[in-house]
Amino acid sequence: LVELVGITKSYELGRTVVHALNGVDLQVERGEFTVVMGPSGSGKTTLLNIIGCLDRATAGTFRFDGEELGDRDFNDLAEIRNRKIGFIFQSFNLIPVLNVTENIEFPCLIRGDPKKALRERVRQVAEEVGLGKFLAHKPDELSGGQRQRVAIARALVTQPQVVLADEPTANLDSGTSEQIIDLMLELNAKENVTFLFSTHDPRVMAHARRVVHIADGRLVDGTDSGRA
Amino acid sequence: LVELVGITKSYELGRTVVHALNGVDLQVERGEFTVVMGPSGSGKTTLLNIIGCLDRATAGTFRFDGEELGDRDFNDLAEIRNRKIGFIFQSFNLIPVLNVTENIEFPCLIRGDPKKALRERVRQVAEEVGLGKFLAHKPDELSGGQRQRVAIARALVTQPQVVLADEPTANLDSGTSEQIIDLMLELNAKENVTFLFSTHDPRVMAHARRVVHIADGRLVDGTDSGRA
Ligand SMILES: Nc1ncnc2c1ncn2[C@@H]1O[C@H](COP(=O)(O)OP(=O)(O)OP(=O)(O)O)[C@@H](O)[C@H]1O
Ligand SMILES: Nc1ncnc2c1ncn2[C@@H]1O[C@H](COP(=O)(O)OP(=O)(O)OP(=O)(O)O)[C@@H](O)[C@H]1O
Ligand SMILES: [Mg+2]
Ligand SMILES: [Mg+2]
């Protein structure tokens, strides 16, 4: 499903250059439940942003579902993202003026899903992440973990092929985390949805069928613990 | 140091009222290293915001360092906060247009610390949280865990009596978390700085000398595991 060869991502800040990714080769097959782990600043978010078509690599080749995407413009990338990829952002990226329902349904509205069935689906997925009583709340009327779960629901409501989850349980207590992980495991088992996580959470790692280690912008050889 | 009696905090949203805190009684002595834990939405951030003079309770009495603070206005609360309390926000609250150095030194500038000694102190505390090479970076040029550490450094640079830390390690890997916890334990042991955490992180909990449980806006009886 995802094939990265020699991916680099560099940022130029005045006179310094930061190499967030430094020659990454990675393949992710359909149906995987995979964790990328590494120290703070090692390149996890950068990697997920490129796979999720939210950012473009400085160099390297990137194929998603058989298509070479390196030279696509942002509109093409947005089209693919909207149709195939659910993204749970590390910083949630909720829209402050929209309430929980409107934040969750937003990506579906962008791609033109019919509104009537959508509202019922939004209600259902909000219940599954424990937010059934908060549908009318705005983001600043929610706790940190509640906001995180809005971000999770928004990624899942689009019924994506791939979910890229950047530290999706960082603000969640044990019980809520287990609930979320179970939901994701079910989607993986029944719908063959591919999950790629960046996480430090041992509970997520306990369920991963494959763990990939990243340090200083490159995958660490010999630590790829299996093929899903 | 901190005494809360019958604290409630309610939010009115249209026709519903959310009781974020529902009659909290809590005492925190100088020099404690205490964790408040509870499910997402249970009231941890709300509690820390009130103790940190960032918000006011709806009802109840609150004493900080012997002074009754319930009827103080926001300017008085800001004065106390700037002099005595360091706060590590769950959402970091960095100022986007300021770089790492400027974000860390900001609270000291507000209270008029002399600039020359301040810059050296900022550099030192940035090094202690592993950000020595990022002093000129702006928040949007940093990873999630790097931003969290700017928030931590900003709380510690003021040399506060109390540090209120709302999920301070949520975005940090094991190694970085242990480094931060060690730094905090040292300040607690050598400078008698009081630490009150909201956290789900077992590594922080492992070092807590007292754990307080909160659910649905109230402390759960029988679960206060000790007095520091
Ligand atoms: N500004 C607000 N307006 C309305 N309701 C709020 C507001 N802030 C918090 N709440 C509600 O109050 C309750 C407690 O929120 P709080 O942020 O204290 O929880 P928390 O324990 O910190 O949760 P988490 O672990 O998810 O960060 C939640 O149900 C939340 O929705
Ligand atoms: N927009 C940017 N501009 C400049 N540098 C950046 C930018 N985004 C990230 N970086 C740098 O690139 C490196 C990798 O960042 P990235 O966010 O991918 O790390 P991460 O592994 O997700 O870390 P964390 O666990 O802290 O979230 C870091 O050193 C960071 O400072
Ligand atoms: Mg990250
Ligand atoms: Mg909170």
Side-chain angles (χ1 to χ4, degrees):
Chain A
L1 182 65
V2 168
E3 184 177 357
L4 305 174
V5 180
I7 292 289
T8 65
K9 178 70 185 183
S10 303
Y11 295 99
E12 293 180 14
L13 304 170
R15 285 176 295 183
T16 59
V17 179
V18 175
H19 299 292
L21 292 178
N22 215 4
V24 169
D25 301 317
L26 177 68
Q27 285 190 331
V28 181
E29 311 293 341
R30 201 172 302 276
E32 285 194 30
F33 201 88
T34 295
V35 160
V36 178
M37 62 177 293
S40 178
S42 56
K44 299 178 302 291
T45 294
T46 305
L47 179 63
L48 288 186
N49 282 347
I50 288 169
I51 295 173
C53 305
L54 291 163
D55 200 0
R56 290 170 63 194
T58 308
T61 56
F62 168 38
R63 287 179 190 282
F64 183 89
D65 208 8
E67 292 181 62
E68 161 75 44
L69 292 189
D71 53 357
R72 297 298 187 77
D73 68 17
F74 278 109
N75 285 328
D76 282 349
L77 292 178
E79 165 76 22
I80 290 162
R81 187 170 69 241
N82 286 342
R83 286 189 286 114
K84 296 184 177 182
I85 300 173
F87 204 111
I88 303 167
F89 292 89
Q90 193 171 14
S91 56
F92 319 148
N93 279 2
L94 304 186
I95 300 169
V97 302
L98 301 184
N99 66 29
V100 167
T101 296
E102 294 158 339
N103 263 291
I104 294 174
E105 78 185 358
F106 194 71
C108 297
L109 293 183
I110 286 179
R111 70 182 187 190
D113 291 2
K115 196 147 181 179
K116 183 167 181 199
L118 177 56
R119 281 280 165 121
E120 179 50 36
R121 201 157 82 239
V122 166
R123 179 186 301 279
Q124 181 185 347
V125 82
E127 291 275 349
E128 287 168 354
V129 300
L131 289 178
K133 295 177 181 171
F134 296 88
L135 297 179
H137 287 228
K138 298 259 178 73
D140 67 1
E141 299 159 341
L142 296 172
S143 78
Q146 287 163 345
R147 291 181 199 163
Q148 192 163 44
R149 284 178 274 153
V150 176
I152 291 167
R154 182 182 58 190
L156 299 182
V157 78
T158 63
Q159 295 167 322
Q161 289 181 27
V162 176
V163 173
L164 304 174
D166 201 352
E167 313 227 25
T169 58
N171 283 274
L172 302 183
D173 58 279
S174 288
T176 308
S177 279
E178 289 288 341
Q179 196 181 7
I180 297 298
I181 295 165
D182 283 347
L183 176 61
M184 292 171 169
L185 284 167
E186 184 171 349
L187 285 171
N188 177 254
K190 293 183 175 181
E191 312 283 343
N192 209 31
V193 176
T194 306
F195 280 87
L196 185 59
F197 300 82
S198 151
T199 190
H200 305 299
D201 188 339
R203 288 163 300 211
V204 178
M205 284 186 276
H207 291 285
R209 293 194 295 276
R210 179 186 175 201
V211 178
V212 175
H213 291 260
I214 186 169
D216 296 318
R218 65 177 72 223
L219 301 194
V220 181
D221 280 347
T223 58
D224 186 344
S225 67
R227 287 273 166 201
Chain B
L1 183 64
V2 169
E3 184 177 357
L4 305 173
V5 181
I7 292 288
T8 66
K9 177 71 184 180
S10 303
Y11 296 99
E12 293 180 15
L13 303 171
R15 283 176 296 184
T16 58
V17 180
V18 176
H19 298 291
L21 293 178
N22 214 1
V24 169
D25 301 317
L26 178 69
Q27 283 187 344
V28 181
E29 310 292 342
R30 203 173 302 277
E32 285 194 31
F33 201 89
T34 293
V35 160
V36 177
M37 63 179 293
S40 178
S42 56
K44 299 178 301 297
T45 293
T46 305
L47 178 64
L48 289 186
N49 283 349
I50 288 168
I51 295 173
C53 303
L54 291 161
D55 198 1
R56 291 169 65 196
T58 308
T61 58
F62 169 38
R63 288 179 189 279
F64 183 89
D65 207 9
E67 294 180 61
E68 161 78 37
L69 292 188
D71 54 354
R72 298 295 186 84
D73 68 18
F74 279 111
N75 285 330
D76 281 350
L77 291 178
E79 163 76 24
I80 290 162
R81 186 168 70 240
N82 288 344
R83 287 190 285 113
K84 297 184 176 182
I85 301 173
F87 206 109
I88 303 168
F89 292 88
Q90 192 171 13
S91 55
F92 320 148
N93 279 4
L94 303 185
I95 301 170
V97 301
L98 302 183
N99 66 25
V100 167
T101 295
E102 295 162 335
N103 263 290
I104 294 174
E105 78 184 358
F106 193 70
C108 296
L109 293 181
I110 285 179
R111 68 182 189 188
D113 291 4
K115 196 145 182 179
K116 186 169 171 184
L118 175 59
R119 279 280 164 120
E120 179 51 33
R121 199 156 85 241
V122 166
R123 179 185 301 280
Q124 180 185 350
V125 82
E127 289 275 350
E128 287 169 354
V129 299
L131 288 178
K133 296 179 181 166
F134 294 90
L135 297 179
H137 288 229
K138 298 257 176 81
D140 67 3
E141 297 158 341
L142 296 172
S143 78
Q146 289 165 343
R147 291 181 200 166
Q148 193 163 43
R149 283 178 275 153
V150 176
I152 292 167
R154 182 183 56 190
L156 300 183
V157 78
T158 62
Q159 296 167 321
Q161 291 183 27
V162 176
V163 174
L164 304 175
D166 201 352
E167 313 227 23
T169 58
N171 284 276
L172 303 182
D173 58 280
S174 288
T176 309
S177 278
E178 288 291 339
Q179 196 180 8
I180 296 299
I181 294 165
D182 284 346
L183 176 60
M184 292 172 168
L185 284 167
E186 183 170 353
L187 287 171
N188 177 253
K190 294 184 175 184
E191 312 285 340
N192 207 34
V193 176
T194 306
F195 280 86
L196 183 60
F197 300 80
S198 150
T199 190
H200 305 298
D201 189 340
R203 289 161 299 210
V204 177
M205 285 186 275
H207 291 286
R209 293 193 295 275
R210 177 187 177 200
V211 178
V212 174
H213 291 258
I214 187 170
D216 296 319
R218 67 178 66 222
L219 300 193
V220 182
D221 281 348
T223 57
D224 186 344
S225 67
R227 287 265 166 209

